[in-house]
Amino acid sequence: MTRADWEKSYVSAESALRDAGVENADLLKLEEVRVRFMGRKGALTELLKSLKDLSIEDKRELGPKAQGLKASFDALIDARKAALEDAGDAAALEKDAIDLTLPAIRPPKGRLHPLTTTLHEIARTFQLMGYSWAEGPFVEDERHNFSALNIPEGHPARDSHDTFYLQGLPLLLRTHTSTVQIHTMESIRPPLRVVCPGRAFRHEQIDATHSAIFHQVEGLVVDENIGLADLKGHLQTLLQKLLGASTKTRFRPSYFPFTEPSTEVDVKCFFCPGTGCAACKHTGWIEILGAGVVNPAVFKAAGYDEQKWSGFAFGVGVERVAMLLHGVPDIRAFYTNDLKFLKQFDENLL
Ligand code: PHE
């Protein structure tokens, strides 16, 4: 090959490269171009190969020229490849775009029912005063619900309890948690301090303050020389811790067959300024617990020496306390399971 032929090939390779359309090529076309110029019989390959036919001087002069063309070919192809890759990345990003500034969806989270947290809070206050936790069955016999609690057959207190009896069986749903007083005394020796939180059942007309299913926290303390003053101290501690130090309470004389003397404790109504409303049955006060000094007849029935032991008992209405704590004027709200109602209660209250 002559120098003139070589220079002709160079010029035609150079212009072919210019016309190859590398700037707009896709990946397939780029590969085609690479083969056309740098394949085994490619224009650039041939050009580089034919350098060997030239004289030493021509080689020295034209060699760098040929290498220069090869370098610009490589640069052209690499630049296009990089551009195509960038565009691909950008398109993929666009396609799968997510907006990281959008607020995330909170997965729904369960929480304790306000009655559960209230019950725990009452029981915990007593646990701090040294009480232990006891539980008893919902289904009871008449002895545990009535007779052992000094409510014999024919006693008018039985009628006021509106009891659910189990059909054809001498069994009933406990009408109060006082049944656990008897279970406790049957199974452990005095002295003792127990709280017995749980559910109770009465066949009652349901209204803003009454539910056929409700909860109580029963308490029983048995020791030597225990009296009304101890009872008042423990209950006052509970009410101030639960409802605040400035809570107004009223200890009213009352009657329960299983305590003597007996008292009912009222808290100043939170829903009206004392003028009376549906929640306080127009009295300005809401009754939240019954209590008293254990009647010796109960100790006798449970097998405790009534000469030696004395004690007190109480039953706190959990729904009443929860209504006061959270400003809920209707007890039925706790049982309808409306999520909008339930979600208002902070799960950290416990
Ligand atoms: N058991 C009573 C009730 O349900 C409450 C109570 C408990 C009263 C313990 C005195 C002592 O009304």
Side-chain angles (χ1 to χ4, degrees):
M1 169 177 292
T2 64
R3 178 184 169 124
D5 286 343
W6 192 91
E7 283 186 323
K8 236 159 100 193
S9 309
Y10 178 91
V11 171
S12 83
E14 196 182 35
S15 82
L17 185 56
R18 228 180 292 120
D19 298 339
V22 172
E23 301 76 17
N24 303 314
D26 59 14
L27 280 175
L28 209 70
K29 174 99 191 286
L30 266 191
E31 179 57 14
E32 235 176 74
V33 173
R34 194 193 61 77
V35 170
R36 182 138 65 87
F37 285 88
M38 283 303 297
R40 250 165 27 93
K41 293 250 181 278
L44 261 174
T45 315
E46 295 288 350
L47 195 67
L48 288 161
K49 246 203 266 167
S50 53
L51 275 172
K52 69 175 187 327
D53 302 333
L54 302 179
S55 67
I56 295 276
E57 297 77 41
D58 289 347
K59 249 188 237 167
R60 224 172 253 153
E61 193 194 326
L62 301 175
K65 217 174 153 185
Q67 291 300 344
L69 188 60
K70 162 82 165 63
S72 43
F73 171 82
D74 285 346
L76 207 62
I77 295 279
D78 286 352
R80 182 58 192 159
K81 244 190 201 153
L84 281 174
E85 268 163 25
D86 283 356
D89 288 351
L93 280 177
E94 179 121 3
K95 193 170 139 263
D96 303 332
I98 46 167
D99 183 352
L100 294 174
T101 65
L102 270 180
I105 299 162
R106 258 176 216 272
K109 199 169 119 194
R111 65 192 73 197
L112 293 175
H113 191 279
L115 287 180
T116 306
T117 53
T118 306
L119 185 146
H120 283 180
E121 214 164 319
I122 297 169
R124 195 180 52 181
T125 305
F126 286 114
Q127 285 180 305
L128 291 173
M129 289 193 263
Y131 288 62
S132 47
W133 181 292
E135 283 181 32
F138 294 165
V139 175
E140 279 289 4
D141 53 27
E142 298 212 350
R143 185 181 123 72
H144 286 87
N145 201 80
F146 294 126
S147 330
L149 288 162
N150 198 33
I151 316 174
E153 218 167 309
H155 193 289
R158 285 211 187 190
D159 301 336
S160 69
H161 275 218
D162 306 306
T163 313
F164 286 114
Y165 286 90
L166 270 67
Q167 223 168 21
L169 293 169
L171 297 173
L172 49 87
L173 295 181
R174 68 180 182 196
T175 58
H176 51 179
T177 47
S178 298
T179 52
V180 191
Q181 288 188 34
I182 305 303
H183 284 293
T184 303
M185 289 190 274
E186 283 170 345
S187 59
I188 57 176
R189 286 171 200 281
L192 59 87
R193 289 180 180 198
V194 287
V195 265
C196 327
R199 199 165 284 181
F201 310 84
R202 286 187 202 177
H203 190 215
E204 286 201 270
Q205 191 64 43
I206 292 163
D207 61 25
T209 53
H210 293 89
S211 164
I213 300 174
F214 58 99
H215 298 79
Q216 294 184 323
V217 177
E218 188 84 9
L220 174 68
V221 170
V222 181
D223 210 326
E224 286 174 84
N225 304 316
I226 289 278
L228 200 59
D230 304 290
L231 167 66
K232 261 191 110 172
H234 283 218
L235 291 180
Q236 226 134 24
T237 304
L238 169 78
L239 296 174
Q240 293 198 339
K241 180 154 186 309
L242 210 55
L243 304 169
S246 59
T247 307
K248 282 217 163 58
T249 53
R250 178 170 85 169
F251 285 72
R252 196 161 33 81
S254 185
Y255 172 76
F256 298 105
F258 34 96
T259 50
E260 179 58 35
S262 302
T263 177
E264 277 176 293
V265 182
D266 301 336
V267 175
K268 192 114 212 178
C269 183
F270 282 32
F271 302 103
C272 63
T275 48
C277 63
C280 61
K281 288 194 214 122
H282 306 283
T283 63
W285 296 87
I286 295 182
E287 180 208 319
I288 57 165
L289 67 88
V293 173
V294 178
N295 191 320
V298 176
F299 283 146
K300 222 176 180 163
Y304 275 16
D305 179 354
E306 81 275 15
Q307 301 294 330
K308 181 169 184 208
W309 301 108
S310 54
F312 63 77
F314 55 82
V316 185
V318 176
E319 279 78 356
R320 299 285 172 86
V321 173
M323 288 166 79
L324 290 173
L325 271 181
H326 301 295
V328 177
D330 194 318
I331 198 170
R332 289 166 286 198
F334 293 120
Y335 295 101
T336 40
N337 285 332
D338 179 346
L339 284 180
K340 273 188 247 146
F341 171 75
L342 293 174
K343 276 182 178 164
Q344 300 175 90
F345 298 94
D346 187 353
E347 63 268 38
N348 297 323
L349 244 182
L350 188 66

